[in-house]
């Protein structure tokens, strides 16, 4: 079945540091890939998505590239801020399924 | 667009009681999903509606769980005879028609079983 594997957290960075959160997937067919962010006490917010190989999703300085050859969708940001502290979830959706399949999430802590 | 709304935000109840949660999707969205999220984990799919039809149910959705979407608008999720293991965040999401439509989530209902 479909699955998503994310790097374990927490990831602790100083403000303005470079961020990478790794995500790899296993899926039947050709999935769409997503990054969601969850702030404390809130639901999930869609951060970015990519629907086909080599697509790059980007939003708010974050970006991720759909790599079919490595089945990866790593999240990157060039300079993190304290306000980026949250839990980040990688997820996939295949055309034949209704549901999103999520990874376990990676907590990011950014300090001054 | 007021977003996906869930009520209540928090529910504390005793083991064995029944609870019901409500979800109001984004108005033009015909697809509605329920997920469960436990501490430190990603959301897990429970069930999916397209308009008023419940098209898919996860094996996680035991016979104590029932979901409805009677008029294709809001949805309710009921848990009967709650157990300790039901303690979780219950998330609702909605999406529009079309394969490329993204799911938008509400803030969830946190259920605590005493």
């Amino acid at each position: 079945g479909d699955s998503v594997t994310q790097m374990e957290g927490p990831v602790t960075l100083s403000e303005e540091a470079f961020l990478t959160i790794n995500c790899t997937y296993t899926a039947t067919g050709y999935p769409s890939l997503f990054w969601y962010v969850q702030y404390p006490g809130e639901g999930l917010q869609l951060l970015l998505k990519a629907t086909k190989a080599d697509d790059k999703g980007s939003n708010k300085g974050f970006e991720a590239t759909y790599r079919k050859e490595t089945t990866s969708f790593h999240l990157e940001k060039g300079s993190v801020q304290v306000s980026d502290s949250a839990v980040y979830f990688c997820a996939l959706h295949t055309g034949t399924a209704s549901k999103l399949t999520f990874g376990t999430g990676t907590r990011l802590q950014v300090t001054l | 667009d007021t977003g996906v709304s869930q009520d209540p935000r928090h529910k504390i109840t005793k083991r064995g009681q029944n609870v019901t949660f409500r979800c109001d999707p984004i108005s033009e969205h015909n697809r509605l999903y329920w997920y469960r999220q436990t501490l430190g984990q990603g959301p897990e799919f429970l069930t999916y509606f397209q308009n008023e039809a419940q098209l898919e149910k996860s094996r996680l959705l035991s016979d104590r769980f029932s979901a409805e979407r009677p008029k294709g608008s809001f949805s309710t999720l009921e848990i009967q005879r709650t157990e300790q293991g039901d303690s979780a965040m219950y998330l609702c999401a909605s999406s529009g028609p079309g394969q490329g439509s993204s799911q938008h989530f509400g803030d969830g209902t946190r259920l605590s079983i005493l």
Side-chain angles (χ1 to χ4, degrees):
Chain A
D2 298 344
S3 66
V4 175
T5 302
Q6 290 182 235
M7 62 188 289
E8 290 201 17
V11 174
T12 303
L13 296 173
S14 298
E15 199 170 46
E16 298 184 1
F18 184 85
L19 168 71
T20 299
I21 300 178
N22 290 339
C23 171
T24 57
Y25 67 89
T26 302
T28 53
Y30 302 96
S32 295
L33 301 173
F34 304 82
W35 278 100
Y36 281 84
V37 58
Q38 187 174 35
Y39 298 99
E42 298 184 11
L44 280 73
Q45 298 176 24
L46 178 63
L47 183 58
L48 53 84
K49 71 176 184 181
T51 57
K52 61 182 187 297
D54 299 324
D55 269 2
K56 177 184 285 188
S58 61
N59 186 27
K60 300 180 181 179
F62 291 89
E63 58 183 33
T65 301
Y66 188 139
R67 300 288 188 198
K68 183 181 176 184
E69 64 275 15
T70 55
T71 61
S72 65
F73 193 54
H74 304 321
L75 182 68
E76 297 181 336
K77 187 176 186 183
S79 176
V80 294
Q81 306 299 311
V82 172
S83 58
D84 294 326
S85 298
V87 181
Y88 292 81
F89 292 93
C90 185
L92 68 81
H93 178 275
T94 58
T96 56
S98 55
K99 64 180 182 179
L100 285 167
T101 299
F102 287 88
T104 55
T106 303
R107 180 174 299 278
L108 171 65
Q109 297 174 337
V110 181
T111 59
L112 291 171
Chain B
D1 180 359
T2 58
V4 178
S5 178
Q6 292 189 245
D7 183 71
R9 290 294 310 277
H10 304 277
K11 180 69 177 179
I12 301 173
T13 192
K14 294 181 179 179
R15 183 168 54 90
Q17 298 294 304
N18 299 344
V19 294
T20 300
F21 311 140
R22 177 181 170 120
C23 171
D24 288 89
I26 293 171
S27 58
E28 63 269 26
H29 284 181
N30 65 331
R31 297 174 179 175
L32 188 146
Y33 313 80
W34 286 98
Y35 293 82
R36 182 174 70 186
Q37 184 181 22
T38 54
L39 199 61
Q41 299 298 313
E44 296 174 294
F45 171 77
L46 292 178
T47 191
Y48 157 62
F49 290 85
Q50 183 165 308
N51 300 311
E52 65 276 8
Q54 188 174 20
L55 297 184
E56 188 174 349
K57 292 195 290 187
S58 162
R59 287 174 296 176
L60 292 175
L61 210 67
S62 75
D63 56 6
R64 295 186 298 106
F65 288 69
S66 63
E68 295 181 344
R69 194 182 183 198
K71 296 183 180 180
S73 56
F74 74 92
S75 175
T76 58
L77 177 67
E78 180 182 16
I79 309 175
Q80 296 182 326
R81 305 181 303 281
T82 52
E83 301 174 354
Q84 290 283 352
D86 297 332
S87 295
M89 175 78 87
Y90 291 84
L91 295 166
C92 177
S94 68
S95 68
Q99 191 168 331
S101 180
S102 302
Q103 294 184 26
H104 297 262
F105 284 79
D107 285 341
T109 294
R110 181 168 295 284
L111 174 65
S112 298
I113 307 297
L114 300 178

